[in-house]
């Protein structure tokens, strides 16, 4: 049998022939693809024409397209529908790809050619998208050290190796320290307050860890969070909180203090070596925020209004605790518990009340209808497209003039072969090469409540907003209309990518939009206004408190990554200085945040934690314009499509945003939305 990756795709819209692809096709096809890509690179290097934009930058951009075709299918399925064999294969395939991309990044001859082309190209003659590709490609080499002398290159290599070992140790220590703790409860009275689902989970956990009886509480979120929220036993909450807050901070082999200080020091040195003032400057160069001062300005604006309000919120929770003869002052391990009680008292709203109005099929159609009202596009189900799993549905997305835009794959229920969470992805990105346009294949994958024998899939409100969120990302892919694939769709700066997705969530809170789809699955009754109001009001519960916490974490991240010199103080001291303006509870000597802050010390979020708030600012500011005009205003929607959704990463996101909004984003709309200003 022929390898389907090496044949033209013949399904409608050249969709992926999932029905023909087997596990044994990936590796041989990839080997051929890598050989082909090597030849393409060789051709760029040995081209006898003098180096220019087209024969160097564009040629490099277009090289390796077969690798992309194969690996996007492989890694998407490895997330959405994997197997043991597929995971084993991933262990072989990933190193092949890493090795090939290192080979390119470290190819001196290739870089000489790029540099030569960079120096002779007249930037003025390039269009906006070309200029962006030009800068981005050149920088990707320089930021990896291509311009350094040999001694500095060696130093950089040493730093990178040490950093990857250290961040691995950081995660391992954190995991070991978390797993070392367990709270084994054997007395039923210790469960008072916990919802049945949490009790059942704790019982199952005890059984799985071969306890003879009882209930097990651990530091994993699904176990930790409900206990802190609902347990009436203050002493146990305290025990659990202290264990959680001292992960990586205890006097044992899993301590992360030295490791994280060394990580922060090495990142600083690496940034200096590459010519940047600090790691934060290095990171933000390729972000919408551009430099640390802009991030600090945002925080100052938020804190000014959020801090006094957060203190009021804490006081309100304290007042409830006082009424119930609870502790005063409330300490860290009391706050979740009493705020949950206050939430219940104030809003009396829960998932069960809302779920009957959110039948999955209705919500999905609601998202389609919202897009149709805004952009005039339509979604039509297709039964003739190959699928990777029977749960997947496929839709053709057509533009308002009937022109094909994209295929849209959607699937919603958990299964063993799928990882957790919800995400948007694409099986193929858009490009326009040689006068032929390649349209994208866009997908969303979720893990929502399944139908039961007696009821259809009824979503929680959180699942409804998740669906709209992923759908927003999908629109970014569907409307892509650029030239270069690497700049197309969701390939944008990191602090810009959540704008379309978070923006779409706003429609879920609008009566006019809910009226389209939030209908009781049995009676057909539209969701009552009173419930909509409750959803809105409760969404702002403790918003100032949450803002202060998020800013605090962002500031801590930035403090570790925007160093002026190598810190000499202890982690505890360092944190206290960094978080001075965001403390809401009395200090605790036993706990810190940094030693368990894996987002920034082991994940990819270093100098990037701010981006959560940044995205909220953008999204609130953008939605403000829709609200001013009308949430279904076609002109505003068209402008958002033309200036943001269709433009991908084809130029600096601030320029795109300004073209849409007429000005830079301000935090005013977010402050208003969160109820922090009128
Ligand atoms: Zn997202």
């Amino acid at each position: 049998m022929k390898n389907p990756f090496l044949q033209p795709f013949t399904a409608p819209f050249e969709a992926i022939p999932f029905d023909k692809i087997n596990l044994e096709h990936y590796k041989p096809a990839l080997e051929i693809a890598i050989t082909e890509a090597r030849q393409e690179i060789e051709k760029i290097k040995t081209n006898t024409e003098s180096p220019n934009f087209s024969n160097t930058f564009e040629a490099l951009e277009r090289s390796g397209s077969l690798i992309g075709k194969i690996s996007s299918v492989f890694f998407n399925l490895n997330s959405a529908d994997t197997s043991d064999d597929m995971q084993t294969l991933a262990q072989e395939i990933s190193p092949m790809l890493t090795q090939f991309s290192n080979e390119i990044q470290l190819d001196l001859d290739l870089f000489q050619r790029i540099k030569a082309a960079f120096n002779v190209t007249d930037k003025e003659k390039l269009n906006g998208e070309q200029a962006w590709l030009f800068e981005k490609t050149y920088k990707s080499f320089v930021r990896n050290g291509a311009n350094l002398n040999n001694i500095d290159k060696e130093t950089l290599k040493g730093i990178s190796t040490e950093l990857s070992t250290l961040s691995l140790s950081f995660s391992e220590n954190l995991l070991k320290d978390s797993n070392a703790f367990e709270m084994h409860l054997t007395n039923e009275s210790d469960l008072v307050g916990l919802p049945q689902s949490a009790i059942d989970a704790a019982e199952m956990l005890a059984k799985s860890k071969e306890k003879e009886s009882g209930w097990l509480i651990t530091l994993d979120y699904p176990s930790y969070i409900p206990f802190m929220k609902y347990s009436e036993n203050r002493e146990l909450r305290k025990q659990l909180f202290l264990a959680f807050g001292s992960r990586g901070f205890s006097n044992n082999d899993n301590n992360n203090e030295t490791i994280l200080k060394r990580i922060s020091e090495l990142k600083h040195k690496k940034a200096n070596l590459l010519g940047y003032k600090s790691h934060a400057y290095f990171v933000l160069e390729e972000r919408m925020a551009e430099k640390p001062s802009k991030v600090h300005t945002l925080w100052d604006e938020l804190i000014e209004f959020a801090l006094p309000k957060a203190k009021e919120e804490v006081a309100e929770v304290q007042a409830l605790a006082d009424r119930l003869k609870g502790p005063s002052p409330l300490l860290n391990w009391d706050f979740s518990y009493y705020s949950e009680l206050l939430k219940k008292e104030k809003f009396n709203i829960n998932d069960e009340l809302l779920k009957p109005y959110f039948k999955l099929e209705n919500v999905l159609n609601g998202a389609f209808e919202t897009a149709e009202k805004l952009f005039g596009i339509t979604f039509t189900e297709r039964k003739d497209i190959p699928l990777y799993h029977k749960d997947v549905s496929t839709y053709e997305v057509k533009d308002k003039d009937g022109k094909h835009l994209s295929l849209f794959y959607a699937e919603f229920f958990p299964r063993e072969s799928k990882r957790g969470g919800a995400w948007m992805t694409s099986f193929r990105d858009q490009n326009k090469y040689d006068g032929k346009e390649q349209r994208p294949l866009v997908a969303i994958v979720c893990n929502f409540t399944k139908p039961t024998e007696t009821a259809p899939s009824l979503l929680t409100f959180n699942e409804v907003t998740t669906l709209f969120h992923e759908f927003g990302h999908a629109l970014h892919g569907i409307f892509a209309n650029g030239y270069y694939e690497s700049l197309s769709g969701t390939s944008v700066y990191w602090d810009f990518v959540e704008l379309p997705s978070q923006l779409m969530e706003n429609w879920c809170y609008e009566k006019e939009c809910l009226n389209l789809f939030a209908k009781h699955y049995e009676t057909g009754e539209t969701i009552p206004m009173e419930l909509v109001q409750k959803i809105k009001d409760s969404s702002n519960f403790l918003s100032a408190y949450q803002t202060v916490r998020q800013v605090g974490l962002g500031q801590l991240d930035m403090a570790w990554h925007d160093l002026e010199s190598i810190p000499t103080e202890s982690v505890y001291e360092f944190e206290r200085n960094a978080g001075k303006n965001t403390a809401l509870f009395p200090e605790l000597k036993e706990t810190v945040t940094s030693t368990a802050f894996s987002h920034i010390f082991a994940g990819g979020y270093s100098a990037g934690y701010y981006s959560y708030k940044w995205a909220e600012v953008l999204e609130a500011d953008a939605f403000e314009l829709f609200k001013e005009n009308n949430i279904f205003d076609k002109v505003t929607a068209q402008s958002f499509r033309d200036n943001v959704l269709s433009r991908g990463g084809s130029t600096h996101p601030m320029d795109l945003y300004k073209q849409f909004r007429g000005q830079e984003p301000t935090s005013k709309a977010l402050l208003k939305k969160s109820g922090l200003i009128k």
Side-chain angles (χ1 to χ4, degrees), residues 37-183:
R38 275 202 187 106
Q39 286 160 357
E40 287 162 348
I41 300 289
E42 202 51 40
K43 237 171 108 183
I44 297 173
K45 290 194 296 190
T46 54
N47 194 333
T48 48
E49 286 171 38
S50 54
N52 60 34
F53 177 74
S54 154
N55 69 22
T56 308
F57 286 84
E58 275 189 332
L60 183 63
E61 160 74 12
R62 295 179 56 171
S63 68
S65 63
L66 186 57
I67 298 181
K69 190 169 168 180
I70 302 161
S71 59
S72 87
V73 175
F74 182 79
F75 289 106
N76 275 319
L77 294 192
N78 196 30
S79 292
D81 196 29
T82 192
S83 62
D84 288 347
D85 289 342
M86 191 167 212
Q87 283 169 359
T88 310
L89 187 57
Q91 301 289 340
E92 285 181 60
I93 282 184
S94 299
M96 282 165 70
L97 292 168
T98 316
Q99 203 208 327
F100 179 66
S101 81
N102 286 344
E103 201 179 298
I104 294 183
Q105 283 299 336
L106 301 173
D107 190 328
L108 263 181
D109 296 337
L110 180 64
F111 182 63
Q112 287 315 326
R113 175 94 192 174
I114 287 173
K115 211 171 165 176
F118 187 81
N119 290 334
V120 299
T121 302
D122 180 0
K123 233 186 114 179
E124 298 297 311
K125 291 206 174 113
L126 302 177
N127 69 32
E129 200 176 342
Q130 289 171 332
W132 198 244
L133 180 77
F134 176 74
E135 288 287 342
K136 230 183 136 179
T137 311
Y138 181 70
K139 259 195 206 142
S140 77
F141 282 86
V142 175
R143 285 168 61 89
N144 271 306
N147 255 340
L148 297 180
N149 65 38
N150 285 339
I151 298 171
D152 286 348
K153 265 187 190 151
E154 278 309 305
T155 313
L156 187 69
K157 218 163 119 189
I159 291 178
S160 302
T161 313
E162 193 181 344
L163 271 175
S164 57
T165 317
L166 285 172
S167 54
L168 207 61
S169 310
F170 185 95
S171 326
E172 283 171 5
N173 283 348
L174 183 57
L175 188 66
K176 274 191 262 172
D177 223 28
S178 302
N179 289 343
F181 175 89
E182 54 179 41
M183 198 162 80

Side-chain angles (χ1 to χ4, degrees), residues 257-530:
E257 286 171 273
T258 315
I259 294 179
L260 77 89
K261 283 177 79 174
R262 179 74 180 151
I263 290 178
S264 138
E265 179 185 337
L266 286 174
K267 282 187 176 160
H268 188 66
K269 285 192 170 150
K270 180 177 163 184
N272 288 166
L273 199 62
L274 290 167
Y276 298 85
K277 229 172 111 186
S278 71
H279 179 68
Y281 277 89
F282 172 73
V283 170
L284 292 175
E285 181 187 49
E286 296 208 318
R287 298 284 156 89
M288 187 179 181
E290 289 179 314
K291 49 183 189 277
S293 61
K294 279 207 176 175
V295 176
H296 284 287
T297 306
L298 165 66
W299 286 332
D300 291 346
E301 285 167 14
L302 294 177
I303 280 294
E304 181 189 344
F305 297 99
L307 193 61
K309 188 81 194 288
K311 286 179 179 158
E312 284 172 29
E313 288 172 352
V314 173
E316 200 186 348
V317 178
Q318 180 71 60
L320 175 88
D322 292 347
R323 262 195 287 137
L324 298 173
K325 312 241 176 306
S328 183
L330 290 176
L331 296 178
N332 298 64
W333 45 85
D334 301 315
F335 193 70
S336 288
Y337 174 74
Y338 285 98
S339 52
E340 200 55 32
L341 289 180
L342 181 64
K343 188 175 176 189
K344 208 173 148 198
E345 186 181 283
K346 280 182 91 162
F347 304 107
N348 191 24
I349 189 170
N350 63 48
D351 283 342
E352 298 314 310
L353 221 57
L354 296 171
K355 274 162 79 172
Y357 296 97
F358 296 128
K359 188 172 123 180
L360 170 66
E361 292 76 5
N362 292 348
V363 179
L364 182 63
N365 280 327
F368 290 166
E369 222 180 309
T370 303
E372 187 173 350
K373 276 175 147 325
L374 288 167
F375 307 107
I377 58 173
T378 57
F379 291 75
T380 318
E381 185 158 13
R382 299 279 304 219
K383 297 282 188 190
D384 55 346
I385 309 292
L387 304 176
Y388 61 87
H389 190 277
K390 64 174 175 40
D391 283 358
V392 184
S393 307
T394 318
Y395 302 83
E396 185 191 0
V397 193
K398 282 192 195 149
D399 212 341
K400 51 186 167 215
D401 59 4
K403 228 177 107 196
H404 172 82
L405 274 176
S406 164
L407 279 184
F408 174 65
Y409 300 80
E411 62 141 328
F412 296 102
F413 304 125
R415 57 173 175 266
E416 229 164 70
S417 62
K418 197 197 274 190
R419 72 170 162 86
W423 63 95
M424 168 269 178
T425 184
S426 61
F427 285 101
R428 178 175 76 210
D429 291 320
Q430 178 269 349
N431 71 45
K432 285 183 214 171
Y433 295 148
D434 308 323
K436 184 179 177 279
E437 179 162 21
Q438 169 174 292
R439 289 306 308 169
L441 305 170
V442 172
I444 63 173
V445 185
C446 308
N447 281 284
F448 290 162
T449 313
K450 274 186 167 180
T452 64
E453 271 174 24
T454 50
S457 165
L458 300 174
L459 305 188
T460 64
F461 187 67
N462 188 30
E463 289 172 334
V464 174
T465 55
T466 301
L467 194 152
F468 270 68
H469 179 104
E470 300 312 331
F471 187 68
H473 281 307
L475 291 175
H476 212 173
I478 288 167
F479 284 127
N481 190 28
Y483 190 81
Y484 303 115
E485 199 165 316
S486 74
L487 304 178
S488 160
T490 53
S491 301
V492 299
Y493 277 174
W494 209 52
D495 51 0
F496 193 60
V497 75
E498 296 298 331
L499 168 62
S501 52
Q502 294 193 188
L503 179 68
M504 277 313 289
E505 290 183 37
N506 284 286
W507 274 266
C508 303
Y509 296 86
E510 297 294 324
K511 178 77 179 153
E512 220 184 321
C513 180
L514 288 168
N515 279 345
L516 299 174
F517 68 90
K519 300 200 180 348
H520 197 286
Y521 79 104
E522 284 173 324
T523 64
E525 172 215 13
T526 303
I527 191 165
M529 190 57 212
E530 175 210 340

Side-chain angles (χ1 to χ4, degrees), residues 576-588:
R576 218 175 46 169
N577 292 332
K580 255 187 236 150
N581 61 344
T582 55
L584 288 169
F585 294 105
E587 261 174 45
L588 274 177

